[in-house]
Amino acid sequence: MSKVKTAVKIGTLTVKNPVTTASGTFGSGLEMREYVDLRKLGAITVKGTTLKSRAGNPLPRCTETPSGTLNSIGLENPGVDVFVADILPQVAAYETPIIVNIAGSEIPEYGRLAEILENEDAVSALEANVSCPNVKSGGMALGTDPDLVYQVTKLVKENTSKPVIVKLSPNVTDIVSIAKAAEEGGADGLNLINSVLGLAIDIEHKRPALGNIVGGLSGPAIKPIALRMVYQTAQAVTIPIIGLGGIVSWQDAIEFLMAGATAVGIGTGNFLDPATTMKVVDGIEKYLEDHGFSDIHEIIGIAWKGQNAGKEGCHVCSE
Amino acid sequence: MSKVKTAVKIGTLTVKNPVTTASGTFGSGLEMREYVDLRKLGAITVKGTTLKSRAGNPLPRCTETPSGTLNSIGLENPGVDVFVADILPQVAAYETPIIVNIAGSEIPEYGRLAEILENEDAVSALEANVSCPNVKSGGMALGTDPDLVYQVTKLVKENTSKPVIVKLSPNVTDIVSIAKAAEEGGADGLNLINSVLGLAIDIEHKRPALGNIVGGLSGPAIKPIALRMVYQTAQAVTIPIIGLGGIVSWQDAIEFLMAGATAVGIGTGNFLDPATTMKVVDGIEKYLEDHGFSDIHEIIGIAWKGQNAGKEGCHVCSE
Amino acid sequence: MVEQGKILINEHVGKDIWRMELKAPWIAQKARPGQFVNVRLTEHTDPLLRRPISLHGIDADNGIICFLYLVVGKGTKIMSELENGDSLDLLGPLGNGFSTAFQGKRAVLIGGGIGSAPLYPLMEMLKAQKKSVTLIYGAKDQDSIVCLDLYKENQAEVIITTEDGSAGEKGFVTAPFEALLRNESVNYVYACGPSAMLRAVEELTLKYGVDGEISTEANMGCGLGVCLSCSTPGRDGKNRKVCTDGPVFKMGELAYE
Amino acid sequence: MVEQGKILINEHVGKDIWRMELKAPWIAQKARPGQFVNVRLTEHTDPLLRRPISLHGIDADNGIICFLYLVVGKGTKIMSELENGDSLDLLGPLGNGFSTAFQGKRAVLIGGGIGSAPLYPLMEMLKAQKKSVTLIYGAKDQDSIVCLDLYKENQAEVIITTEDGSAGEKGFVTAPFEALLRNESVNYVYACGPSAMLRAVEELTLKYGVDGEISTEANMGCGLGVCLSCSTPGRDGKNRKVCTDGPVFKMGELAYE
Ligand SMILES: Cc1cc2nc3c(=O)[nH]c(=O)nc-3n(C[C@H](O)[C@H](O)[C@H](O)COP(=O)(O)OP(=O)(O)OC[C@H]3O[C@@H](n4cnc5c(N)ncnc54)[C@H](O)[C@@H]3O)c2cc1C
Ligand SMILES: Cc1cc2nc3c(=O)[nH]c(=O)nc-3n(C[C@H](O)[C@H](O)[C@H](O)COP(=O)(O)OP(=O)(O)OC[C@H]3O[C@@H](n4cnc5c(N)ncnc54)[C@H](O)[C@@H]3O)c2cc1C
Ligand SMILES: Cc1cc2nc3c(=O)[nH]c(=O)nc-3n(C[C@H](O)[C@H](O)[C@H](O)COP(=O)(O)O)c2cc1C
Ligand SMILES: Cc1cc2nc3c(=O)[nH]c(=O)nc-3n(C[C@H](O)[C@H](O)[C@H](O)COP(=O)(O)O)c2cc1C
Ligand code: FES
Ligand code: FES
């Protein structure tokens, strides 16, 4: 066992290392047992769950872009009841904290989901995905409006005693104001970023490449966007951030930690190499040892806390 | 000469083909003479110009990310007077329409720049870059506020008789509302997108990789974001769009045209292959010929005008 | 399992078609006909995703597997440029594979274009079980027909159709297939190819009341059952993952819109 | 010009150091010592940007150029994996190059680590002009010192320093350089290496009133003078582009912060 301390806390939840999975890219975890020692993960963040089952979007649901993938799964999932009855107990057997990602198309659904999951001891934390359009408010994603994010967070908090993570959409002008709204609503942690809204054209068929037209861009292509949002947000809030977006190596994970993330999530990286999470766990530990750090907290935010930090200016005009 | 019609109009400006350069990635054009037949371009869009000269941001100003580059040049330029006196006449000799990209740190500067350039016959159109922070309004970029975009556009229009293109920042929640504000302000065309705000960490030095901390992400990585914004905006406005972001091949350019762009710009693509613009000009023409089109307008927006167009839903939750 | 396969042969065998043999003992040992391998093409991030390629040959004894692939885009182009001795990052075997436990003796295998790739190891397996095999192989033209010797060596009956008539019957696989169904006894049908072909074949099997399986495709994100990119509706209203519930499905199992 | 160079030799010559010879007649014809080539590593988009590499050898007669490069990241790693016969996409020659029209006979060339790469063709040119050349070559250790034969063949004087003392004098290039300046007549100095070394060398030349040139580096976007990524402040308050105004600058021309 290494002497380096890699445990971090998100609210009342302590995870033994800062590595979790990105919701929707790791199934329930069970599918990955052949490649991943689930016990070795800091936490397993499972596929997004909704009140009722969902069939998802029309195919094609996935296409490749330069260093990225666009997907429009459409939250296909069996619904929270099936999840709780059939899947959760199996995952719980691995004794790794389980973070359940929840999504609703109307705000009250988030409260209902929290209430249902509150009874499940196997659930260690809730992660509210606020990237879906709010049907009631004209279709703009919930997560683009600080007031709605505040409301959702507050509602989830009221219905659970478990730590609540709010997963923010990057498709906003001002990520910091949204992050602060979640913090004010009582969030114990933030997850950033969800995928970036994008589109590809299938020029052969002269139509959008995805059945759903628009999709979420993920993978290494978005890493600079995610790092920027983590860097800015970490300086503006006091709650921990799970940073993710394009992590495929331990070096990428170190970038996120240095930018201010307390933990990291692996999404698309699982598709390239199903053992990516394991390599990131080991790589972070080795990095800390090799560089003489004794606790992971020493590098969290070092890029802006450290000696070398400079002043952020406009990249366009040097104002 | 090909029989295919490739000419398009932006306001009163007709360009013989839809290919221009992305401001800041092609200098004034003169630097590229060894590689590019400047007469063959639809238009040359030159480096951003400000009222006074600017020295730009500290180094490093550029770093590579997966399929992208992050840059923070900081609008280094000699100022509009030097541009007009020394550079413009030389570029004008090539008889290709010149689009001058202008930027100000306060709104009135845009008016002043338009006024100065109004006297220059060699200038075919103005492109207002609204991605810089507005010093007066707390530092958020001008281009993130529809009212300010409306004001800038209106002011530039009042001070020039030339076509006015507004170059939008992608770092916004709702690109369509910003685009509409520019249209209402009188814009003759839109350019989208400018680079996406990003950051990279230099883990060896434990600090941001760029001297300016944040930078603009450009190149193929952002192509899906740019295409999404062009696709959405083209359906919401009636003015033409110059689409750009990650174009490195003629196939990429066709994607933008099908998404609804009337013209395309090549930026980072020039760095990979300095002859990219020429290959895109030829490739578009050949595509149209090979597919039996007689006029480029037949493919503009075909991805949403065409038979195959579907209904856009939420990529996350299939609402 | 992720296994680094060592390339033994990578040869151009037909119009844009290549055949690759790799030393990959672990996969060769585990794989069943109809399964596939997810191939990583670069340690960099473009092209990013792995590409699914069916097992066209499985030689457990010698630890060798084989791919038959059509060069259609950048991933398959990279594959075609690899040389003997190069290694290739393989994730697999993945998917469910064909089942061969049907009643009766006579199997008809229908391959459309590169869709014939997974049928070869299936034929070998059926032959080992003493079934009789007829292959109906449809292609664009003569130059797109490859690897027939394999079938002939194994005493399989082969019927060729080409769209332009440059080899075999002119037309599509459905014509000789329907003739077979009408005139001879067919116990089980396997088909792999473009979805229009699969649909037509499936309709015929339903019409003539013959059972069988199809191997289908979908754009894949993970190949592991975790991303739901490949999720395809079944006739029962439930979705199936092409990567782990498939790529082989029972005739009539999937819904076509 | 974009030229597809054909690799003739790609050999490992020192600790993480490789030497590549390419057939590239157009560039070989045009290039001057101190210029560089911008190398594209893939037709895909990761790694995206070209990598600037100095000309370490220019053989116009045979149409051959040579690179000496240190493997530090993914671009140079890709270079090191290329094989004879492979082609490499070269954009160049770029930059201004060294000038050799100085008064007097004695030139001192100072190379720090891989910074010695562009000094070799410079030495050849100086020798052709009958100048006398002293090379001061500083490196981490013995294993990082490469291609000295070239200098010896050309009767250049060579002084070695290593940080660990495993070859030559222990320490940095500045010690023997200052000794030279103090004791001998030096007409012109050329230096290329890490920026800390360049700064120290520059201070010594200013102190001893000797002219010279340095070749410097900056992260580049284009290498063509269009992106201003490499723009570096001069002492006169004006910026210079390392790619087109440089990479060679007069001693004292650039401002160090
Ligand atoms: C289970 C399965 C088995 C397959 N077996 C074979 C085989 O044995 N031989 C063979 O030649 N081809 C096979 N294919 C198709 C093969 O995967 C695609 O042709 C290949 O992915 C195209 O990659 P590319 O980079 O060359 O093309 P591109 O068009 O550049 O690929 C772009 C993207 O689209 C995806 N894509 C493109 N075409 C397909 C397709 N038909 N199916 C799934 N994804 C696609 C790619 O994975 C990639 O993400 C199989 C597909 C599946 C799903
Ligand atoms: C004019 C010039 C001449 C050069 N000549 C040589 C030479 O002859 N031999 C040699 O070994 N090296 C030389 N270099 C340095 C060489 O360009 C870098 O080592 C190389 O770009 C690193 O690429 P990478 O992908 O291996 O490393 P990575 O670290 O993966 O590169 C990441 C990014 O940083 C940039 N970068 C990293 N280091 C440097 C650097 N030192 N200078 C400029 N950009 C950098 C790369 O271009 C790339 O965009 C020269 C640099 C310049 C500017
Ligand atoms: C196929 C796929 C499915 C996803 N499903 C969900 C989901 O159900 N809920 C959610 O909050 N995020 C979902 N995401 C977003 C990821 O969790 C993650 O935020 C995003 O992919 C960025 O990380 P990455 O670049 O490491 O993939 C999904 C992403 C992908 C690629
Ligand atoms: C080095 C560099 C400098 C740029 N300078 C400007 C500029 O001065 N004004 C401007 O409006 N956009 C500027 N841009 C943004 C580009 O014009 C373009 O919008 C962006 O790079 C996206 O296109 P691309 O992916 O093709 O590069 C610059 C981009 C780069 C990479
Ligand atoms: S490809 Fe990911 S679930 Fe099938
Ligand atoms: S690298 Fe682009 S101007 Fe020098």
Side-chain angles (χ1 to χ4, degrees):
Chain A
M1 256 309 266
S2 158
K3 289 226 190 64
V4 178
K5 293 198 186 109
T6 56
V8 297
K9 285 187 78 169
I10 297 161
T12 53
L13 172 65
T14 300
V15 293
K16 61 184 169 300
N17 68 53
V19 181
T20 186
T21 57
S23 177
T25 66
F26 202 75
S28 67
L30 299 171
E31 299 89 339
M32 298 293 276
R33 280 173 291 187
E34 188 184 339
Y35 309 98
V36 171
D37 176 358
L38 298 178
R39 292 175 200 271
K40 197 171 152 179
L41 285 168
I44 301 172
T45 305
V46 298
K47 173 70 190 163
T49 299
T50 52
L51 268 185
K52 301 238 171 67
S53 76
R54 278 172 184 266
N57 279 323
L59 272 73
R61 290 183 178 183
C62 175
T63 191
E64 190 182 86
T65 66
S67 296
T69 95
L70 268 179
N71 82 79
S72 61
I73 307 303
L75 263 184
E76 174 174 344
N77 82 96
V80 67
D81 296 335
V82 174
F83 170 75
V84 164
D86 296 351
I87 302 170
L88 188 58
Q90 290 186 67
V91 189
Y94 291 87
E95 292 172 337
T96 287
I98 299 170
I99 301 174
V100 179
N101 181 283
I102 57 174
S105 38
E106 290 179 20
I107 292 181
E109 290 180 19
Y110 287 89
R112 197 57 205 112
L113 282 159
E115 204 176 14
I116 294 169
L117 293 164
E118 174 62 6
N119 307 321
E120 302 303 322
D121 288 345
V123 175
S124 298
L126 301 183
E127 177 174 276
N129 172 1
V130 295
S131 292
C132 301
N134 183 35
V135 180
K136 285 258 172 75
S137 70
M140 282 300 277
L142 264 181
T144 61
D145 181 335
D147 289 341
L148 298 180
V149 169
Y150 172 83
Q151 285 175 42
V152 171
T153 312
K154 198 148 170 287
L155 183 63
V156 175
K157 278 299 281 184
E158 283 164 5
N159 285 283
T160 190
S161 62
K162 302 178 194 289
V164 172
I165 298 157
V166 181
K167 180 164 184 179
L168 303 185
S169 163
N171 305 302
V172 297
T173 307
D174 182 10
I175 191 75
V176 169
S177 67
I178 312 276
K180 284 185 170 164
E183 187 176 36
E184 274 162 37
D188 299 289
L190 300 171
N191 176 311
L192 25 130
I193 60 175
N194 214 315
S195 51
V196 179
L197 205 56
L199 175 137
I201 303 285
D202 173 347
I203 66 173
E204 197 187 325
H205 298 100
K206 306 185 183 66
R207 55 152 283 140
L210 296 180
N212 185 58
I213 301 188
V214 295
L217 182 63
S218 68
I222 67 169
K223 192 180 66 163
I225 303 173
L227 281 168
R228 187 261 296 180
M229 293 191 167
V230 168
Y231 186 94
Q232 294 179 326
T233 305
Q235 296 176 67
V237 299
T238 59
I239 49 177
I241 294 171
I242 302 173
L244 80 176
I247 299 178
V248 300
S249 68
W250 65 262
Q251 289 92 336
D252 294 333
I254 297 288
E255 281 196 76
F256 276 88
L257 294 168
M258 289 185 172
T262 295
V264 295
I266 317 294
T268 306
N270 296 305
F271 307 167
L272 314 190
D273 176 355
T276 301
T277 48
M278 299 292 100
K279 292 179 181 169
V280 171
V281 170
D282 292 340
I284 292 174
E285 190 172 305
K286 184 162 183 325
Y287 172 88
L288 294 172
E289 276 169 13
D290 290 353
H291 290 75
F293 293 106
S294 58
D295 189 317
I296 191 165
H297 290 88
E298 293 164 32
I299 66 164
I300 294 172
I302 197 169
W304 45 269
K305 289 176 184 162
Q307 303 268 318
N308 293 329
K311 197 187 133 292
E312 184 178 335
C314 173
H315 65 294
V316 175
C317 68
S318 56
E319 284 291 336
Chain B
M1 257 307 267
S2 157
K3 290 225 189 67
V4 179
K5 293 197 187 109
T6 56
V8 297
K9 285 187 78 168
I10 297 162
T12 54
L13 172 66
T14 300
V15 293
K16 62 185 168 300
N17 69 52
V19 181
T20 186
T21 58
S23 177
T25 67
F26 202 75
S28 66
L30 299 172
E31 299 88 340
M32 297 294 277
R33 281 173 291 187
E34 188 183 337
Y35 309 98
V36 172
D37 177 359
L38 298 179
R39 291 175 201 270
K40 198 171 150 178
L41 285 168
I44 301 172
T45 305
V46 297
K47 173 69 190 165
T49 299
T50 52
L51 267 185
K52 302 239 170 68
S53 75
R54 277 172 185 267
N57 279 324
L59 273 71
R61 289 183 178 182
C62 175
T63 192
E64 190 181 87
T65 66
S67 297
T69 95
L70 268 178
N71 83 79
S72 60
I73 308 303
L75 261 184
E76 174 174 345
N77 82 97
V80 68
D81 296 334
V82 174
F83 171 74
V84 163
D86 297 351
I87 302 170
L88 187 59
Q90 291 186 66
V91 189
Y94 291 87
E95 291 172 339
T96 287
I98 299 170
I99 302 174
V100 179
N101 181 284
I102 58 174
S105 38
E106 290 178 23
I107 292 180
E109 290 180 18
Y110 287 90
R112 198 57 206 110
L113 282 159
E115 204 176 14
I116 293 169
L117 292 165
E118 175 61 7
N119 308 321
E120 303 302 321
D121 287 346
V123 175
S124 299
L126 301 184
E127 177 174 277
N129 171 1
V130 295
S131 291
C132 302
N134 183 35
V135 180
K136 285 257 171 76
S137 71
M140 283 300 277
L142 263 182
T144 60
D145 181 335
D147 290 341
L148 298 180
V149 170
Y150 172 83
Q151 284 175 42
V152 170
T153 312
K154 200 150 170 286
L155 183 64
V156 175
K157 278 299 282 183
E158 283 164 7
N159 283 283
T160 190
S161 62
K162 301 178 195 287
V164 173
I165 298 157
V166 181
K167 180 163 183 178
L168 303 185
S169 163
N171 305 301
V172 298
T173 307
D174 182 9
I175 192 74
V176 169
S177 67
I178 313 276
K180 283 185 170 164
E183 186 176 36
E184 275 162 36
D188 299 289
L190 300 172
N191 176 312
L192 26 130
I193 61 174
N194 213 316
S195 51
V196 180
L197 206 54
L199 175 138
I201 303 285
D202 173 347
I203 66 173
E204 198 187 325
H205 298 101
K206 306 183 184 67
R207 55 152 284 141
L210 296 180
N212 184 59
I213 302 186
V214 295
L217 182 63
S218 67
I222 67 169
K223 192 180 67 162
I225 303 173
L227 282 168
R228 187 261 296 179
M229 293 191 166
V230 168
Y231 186 94
Q232 293 179 326
T233 305
Q235 295 176 68
V237 299
T238 59
I239 49 177
I241 294 171
I242 302 174
L244 80 174
I247 299 178
V248 299
S249 67
W250 65 262
Q251 289 92 336
D252 293 333
I254 297 287
E255 281 196 76
F256 276 89
L257 295 168
M258 289 185 172
T262 295
V264 294
I266 317 293
T268 306
N270 296 305
F271 308 167
L272 314 191
D273 176 355
T276 302
T277 48
M278 299 292 99
K279 292 178 182 170
V280 172
V281 169
D282 293 340
I284 291 174
E285 191 172 304
K286 184 161 183 324
Y287 172 88
L288 294 171
E289 276 169 14
D290 290 353
H291 290 76
F293 293 107
S294 59
D295 189 317
I296 192 165
H297 290 88
E298 292 164 32
I299 67 164
I300 294 173
I302 197 169
W304 43 270
K305 288 176 184 162
Q307 303 269 318
N308 292 330
K311 197 188 133 289
E312 184 177 336
C314 173
H315 65 295
V316 175
C317 67
S318 56
E319 282 293 335
Chain C
M1 229 320 252
V2 174
E3 183 171 22
Q4 304 303 319
K6 195 100 176 166
I7 297 175
L8 305 174
I9 301 178
N10 192 15
E11 54 179 2
H12 192 184
V13 295
K15 194 192 273 178
D16 297 328
I17 302 174
W18 295 68
R19 191 179 157 280
M20 183 187 281
E21 269 186 25
L22 299 115
K23 186 93 189 174
W26 199 90
I27 293 173
Q29 191 61 48
K30 289 272 175 177
R32 293 189 313 277
Q35 288 193 298
F36 67 96
V37 166
N38 227 347
V39 178
R40 185 162 180 190
L41 300 156
T42 171
E43 53 180 316
H44 305 291
T45 62
D46 179 52
L48 186 69
L49 294 173
R50 289 174 181 267
R51 302 295 194 255
I53 302 288
S54 300
L55 287 154
H56 172 60
I58 305 168
D59 178 351
D61 295 343
N62 296 303
I64 292 173
I65 61 171
C66 178
F67 298 144
L68 188 70
Y69 62 98
L70 186 68
V71 174
V72 298
K74 57 187 178 178
T76 44
K77 177 150 179 286
I78 290 176
M79 283 179 70
S80 73
E81 288 162 356
L82 294 172
E83 287 165 20
N84 292 356
D86 286 349
S87 63
L88 194 57
D89 183 313
L90 309 172
L91 171 60
L94 304 173
N96 58 353
F98 295 108
S99 76
T100 53
F102 61 88
Q103 299 282 324
K105 261 192 78 71
R106 174 78 179 279
V108 175
L109 278 53
I110 306 178
I114 200 68
S116 65
L119 300 180
Y120 174 65
L122 171 64
M123 178 269 291
E124 280 193 318
M125 193 176 196
L126 291 168
K127 280 289 177 182
Q129 296 173 10
K130 309 273 183 269
K131 308 278 187 184
S132 98
V133 171
T134 301
L135 171 74
I136 307 179
Y137 185 166
K140 277 227 175 69
D141 51 31
Q142 163 111 52
D143 295 346
S144 305
I145 295 174
V146 295
C147 299
L148 278 187
D149 295 350
L150 305 169
Y151 289 87
K152 291 177 182 156
E153 279 166 27
N154 283 276
Q155 277 85 42
E157 184 192 357
V158 175
I159 301 169
I160 303 280
T161 67
T162 53
E163 288 174 33
D164 67 355
S166 55
E169 284 179 39
K170 182 170 164 141
F172 297 98
V173 291
T174 37
F177 179 46
E178 186 156 17
L180 269 186
L181 288 169
R182 205 178 296 126
N183 304 321
E184 299 181 30
S185 114
V186 172
N187 302 113
Y188 210 70
V189 177
Y190 299 92
C192 182
S195 63
M197 181 201 96
L198 293 182
R199 202 176 306 198
V201 166
E202 214 162 332
E203 268 166 28
L204 287 173
T205 57
L206 296 178
K207 177 170 164 195
Y208 288 89
V210 183
D211 258 3
E213 298 172 10
I214 56 157
S215 175
T216 188
E217 290 189 359
N219 279 15
M220 290 188 179
C222 66
L224 302 165
V226 296
C227 77
L228 304 180
S229 290
C230 65
S231 190
T232 300
R235 294 213 174 166
D236 59 6
K238 288 199 188 116
N239 283 348
R240 278 145 184 83
K241 300 179 206 172
V242 172
C243 64
T244 49
D245 298 328
V248 176
F249 295 97
K250 292 245 166 285
M251 292 279 178
E253 187 178 351
L254 299 181
Y256 294 110
E257 282 123 68
Chain D
M1 230 319 252
V2 174
E3 184 170 22
Q4 304 302 319
K6 194 97 175 168
I7 297 175
L8 305 174
I9 300 178
N10 193 16
E11 54 179 2
H12 193 185
V13 294
K15 193 191 272 179
D16 296 329
I17 302 174
W18 295 69
R19 190 179 158 279
M20 184 187 281
E21 269 186 26
L22 300 115
K23 186 95 189 174
W26 198 90
I27 292 173
Q29 191 60 49
K30 289 270 175 179
R32 292 189 313 276
Q35 289 191 298
F36 67 96
V37 166
N38 227 347
V39 179
R40 187 163 179 190
L41 300 156
T42 171
E43 54 180 316
H44 305 289
T45 62
D46 179 52
L48 185 70
L49 294 173
R50 290 174 180 267
R51 301 296 194 254
I53 302 288
S54 300
L55 286 154
H56 172 59
I58 305 168
D59 178 351
D61 294 344
N62 296 302
I64 292 173
I65 62 171
C66 178
F67 299 144
L68 188 71
Y69 62 98
L70 186 68
V71 174
V72 297
K74 58 187 177 179
T76 44
K77 177 151 179 285
I78 291 176
M79 283 179 69
S80 73
E81 288 162 356
L82 294 172
E83 288 165 19
N84 293 356
D86 286 349
S87 63
L88 194 59
D89 183 313
L90 309 172
L91 171 60
L94 303 173
N96 58 354
F98 295 109
S99 75
T100 53
F102 60 87
Q103 298 283 323
K105 260 192 79 70
R106 174 78 179 281
V108 175
L109 279 52
I110 307 178
I114 200 70
S116 66
L119 300 180
Y120 174 66
L122 171 64
M123 178 270 289
E124 280 193 318
M125 192 176 197
L126 291 169
K127 280 288 177 182
Q129 296 173 10
K130 310 271 182 271
K131 308 277 185 183
S132 97
V133 172
T134 301
L135 171 75
I136 308 179
Y137 185 166
K140 276 226 175 69
D141 51 31
Q142 164 110 52
D143 294 345
S144 305
I145 295 173
V146 295
C147 300
L148 278 187
D149 296 349
L150 305 169
Y151 289 88
K152 290 177 182 157
E153 278 166 27
N154 283 275
Q155 277 86 40
E157 184 192 359
V158 175
I159 301 170
I160 303 281
T161 67
T162 53
E163 288 174 35
D164 66 354
S166 55
E169 284 180 38
K170 183 171 162 139
F172 297 98
V173 291
T174 37
F177 180 46
E178 186 155 18
L180 268 187
L181 288 170
R182 206 178 294 126
N183 305 321
E184 299 181 32
S185 113
V186 173
N187 301 114
Y188 210 71
V189 176
Y190 300 92
C192 183
S195 64
M197 182 201 96
L198 293 182
R199 202 176 306 198
V201 166
E202 213 161 332
E203 266 165 30
L204 287 173
T205 56
L206 296 178
K207 177 170 164 195
Y208 288 89
V210 183
D211 258 1
E213 297 172 12
I214 57 158
S215 175
T216 188
E217 289 188 2
N219 279 16
M220 290 188 178
C222 66
L224 303 166
V226 297
C227 77
L228 303 181
S229 290
C230 65
S231 190
T232 299
R235 294 215 174 165
D236 60 5
K238 289 198 188 118
N239 283 347
R240 279 144 183 84
K241 301 180 207 173
V242 172
C243 64
T244 49
D245 299 328
V248 176
F249 295 98
K250 292 243 165 288
M251 291 282 178
E253 187 178 352
L254 298 182
Y256 294 109
E257 282 122 68

